[in-house]
Amino acid sequence: MNKDESKAVSEILHELSNTSHVQVRSSTELAVHVSEAAEDEDEKRIGKGQGPLRRRTDYRAIRNAPRSLTLTPWQVIHAIGLGAASARQGAGRGLAEHWGSLRYNQALEANQGDYLRLSSEGRDLLRFYKATQSGEIGTGFASLLAEKLVRTRYPDHSVSVIPADVALKAGWALRTTSGTGARPEPLQRRPHFFVEAWQPGQPSKVILVSSKGTHSSVQQVHKQLSTASAHVESVHIGPYGTVPYLLIGTEIPKKESLALHVLEGPGATVLRPSGDAEEADPDLTLDQRNRVADVVRYAERERTTIPGFQLLPESFAWFSVVLARTEAATLTAFTGGGKPTAQYLTKEQGQRHFQHDVHANTDRMRDAEHRIHDIDFLGTDHIYRLNGTRVEAFSGLKKSLYTHLHHGRVNEYRRELHALRGQWPDRSASEQWSAVSIRADGTVIAIRLRKE
């Protein structure tokens, strides 16, 4: 190994643990600009004979919005990797896609004011996969900001960020299989996450999140957020138009620091089941449902049915199980996938893809154990080369929590995790690892030079 190369890579890894800031912008002016962008888009659609989009239009500035989000680049990579492991479940590449987040090791850096921006390497990569990069980075930042906002509002709750597509597949077919053409637009536009605030034994609170990312101007952010308002309109929990939501756009300039633009839809949705509904038990195998993709809407005392996804109180108990088991699948996919993940998914959610350990670039799954900040973690190691130097990355879950999920004990996982609230270390490095990120869901991702 070339010593100079090793030193350079070592510095790159240590920079991943440097604390930085990302601006958060939310204002009445932003809401006005998004509404204007929506009007412009609908005018163009009408001119093409397409008709305006159905949107949520009750968005507003965030109450008591933070001025910035404080984090490390490694925490962003953690969020991107966790989202990729879950979002790609149906394709059977969960863990391989998760490790793909490591390509962002050199993409982010702090400027002199400690605000996060694209590095020169990150800017050079734009010509190869600009849209992919903006989408993945935007999703990572959006999940971190949404989690922070919901934790602030419900400090006595635990908070889970759950991929919406994977959850919805437990009840609806998201794509047509008849070959007769595209599905209605509202079924093609969906939020990216459900954010669940929960306590063991209590009904959960749910918020929708739609995220966007762009390397273009702030005007493009306004256009993207106007489109995001159509994404959240497709899902309704309870009566039409009452579920709260967040619209988050990540602005990724070539030279200036990154900025998060965010608006919210008001309200509170609690998954309190109807009186005659069966009690929810996340430990029980989830049955696939084939629900009609219809939403009931009342306008001027008239009842109409429109395309979309709607959950009424008699389905709240079922959906709370969907959220808990989809999160369990996300966490086990992050640690190594395989049968521990398959047990939590229905056929339509991609269960068959996890029946066997077939992920690329990992010879052994779920057999790595590391003690980090005095916590025992179990997961999977990944060895690769960064600028020619061998690097070791590890993703895992607190061992006792993993044991619960491995044996199908979702209730025990959630009880223990909730009891650990506020106890997770926030140190971003350790003696053995150059960069460490531990999330409140019990997952860890760490990286260091590979010992020869």
Side-chain angles (χ1 to χ4, degrees), residues 2 4 25 27 46 83 96 104 118 124 130 155 158 167 229 256 291 297 299 318 330 333 336:
N2 183 295
D4 290 336
R25 299 173 181 171
S27 64
I46 291 171
Y104 294 112
L118 283 181
D124 288 343
K130 185 175 181 179
S158 293
S229 68
E256 290 86 18
R291 305 173 67 93
R297 179 172 65 178
W318 168 79
T330 296

Side-chain angles (χ1 to χ4, degrees), residues 8 13 16 29 91 97 135 139 141 170 196 202 215 272 277 282 298 300 313 340 348 350 359 380 384 395-396:
L13 299 186
L16 292 172
E29 183 181 14
E97 291 287 348
T139 297
F141 280 111
E196 179 192 13
Q202 299 295 319
H215 294 287
R272 186 173 290 109
Y298 291 90
E300 298 180 354
E348 293 301 318
H359 297 294
T380 299
Y384 71 108
S395 67

Side-chain angles (χ1 to χ4, degrees), residues 336-347:
K339 292 183 178 179
T341 299
Q343 67 179 316
Y344 292 114
L345 299 172
T346 68
K347 179 181 177 181

Side-chain angles (χ1 to χ4, degrees), residues 104 129-139 212-215 252:
Y104 294 112
Y129 54 91
K130 185 175 181 179
T132 299
Q133 187 193 59
S134 62
E136 290 182 341
I137 290 180
T139 297
K212 298 289 183 178
T214 181
H215 294 287
I252 313 171

Side-chain angles (χ1 to χ4, degrees), residues 356-376:
H356 306 285
D357 293 335
V358 294
H359 297 294
N361 302 324
T362 46
D363 295 329
R364 295 178 298 175
M365 316 292 290
R366 306 177 304 279
D367 67 341
E369 293 189 36
H370 295 288
R371 188 170 182 82
I372 303 173
H373 295 324
D374 296 324
I375 302 172
D376 291 321

Side-chain angles (χ1 to χ4, degrees), residues 20-26 30 65-71 111 113-117 141-142 145 148-149 218 221 248-253 255-262:
S20 307
H21 309 286
V22 180
Q23 301 174 70
V24 177
R25 299 173 181 171
S26 185
L30 174 62
R67 297 184 62 181
S68 64
L69 188 64
T70 301
L71 40 68
N111 61 19
D114 290 331
Y115 279 88
L116 212 57
R117 66 178 183 182
F141 280 111
L145 178 58
K148 176 181 176 64
L149 292 172
V218 68
V221 174
I248 304 176
T250 302
E251 182 186 1
I252 313 171
K255 295 183 179 180
E256 290 86 18
S257 57
L258 280 71
L260 303 178
H261 303 261
V262 57

